[in-house]
């Protein structure tokens, strides 16, 4: 295999910014699971206790974000 000598080719030299949206470490999965369980359980608890709707929706939003992180990790891990 021969390597090309000289300057690098023109174009984008930085990594693609989409790599930030693909979690790759197991710590990210643990964070996502904690967010999912805590957010979904906390949102249900807020609704049961009669807290404000925005508090319940915000807590449920954290739970949904955690679920998305966990799912995206396993989809990314399967592709590798």
């Amino acid at each position: 295999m021969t390597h090309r000598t000289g300057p690098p080719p023109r174009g984008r030299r930085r990594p693609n910014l989409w790599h930030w949206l693909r979690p790759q470490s197991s710590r990210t999965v643990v964070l996502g699971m904690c967010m999912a369980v805590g957010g979904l359980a906390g949102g249900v608890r807020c609704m049961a206790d009669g807290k404000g709707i925005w508090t319940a929706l915000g807590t449920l939003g954290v739970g949904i974000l955690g679920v998305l992180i966990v799912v995206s990790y396993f989809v990314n891990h399967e592709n590798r």
Side-chain angles (χ1 to χ4, degrees):
M1 181 176 193
T2 61
H3 295 284
R4 198 178 104 169
T5 60
R10 293 183 159 266
R12 187 177 179 99
R13 296 183 186 177
R14 291 181 291 162
N16 191 357
L17 294 179
W18 285 105
H19 76 278
W20 289 105
L21 296 177
R22 289 181 283 164
Q24 297 180 356
S25 72
S26 59
R27 292 179 182 177
T28 308
V29 175
V30 172
L31 174 69
M33 286 182 185
C34 291
M35 287 173 62
V37 170
L40 295 176
V44 170
R45 174 92 186 238
C46 283
M47 286 190 276
D49 288 346
K51 302 272 182 172
I53 186 71
W54 294 113
T55 306
L57 287 177
T59 311
L60 284 172
V62 170
I64 291 170
L65 181 63
V67 169
L68 291 176
I69 288 172
V70 171
V71 168
S72 67
Y73 172 80
F74 285 113
V75 168
N76 184 36
H77 189 68
E78 181 180 310
N79 292 336
R80 282 197 277 164

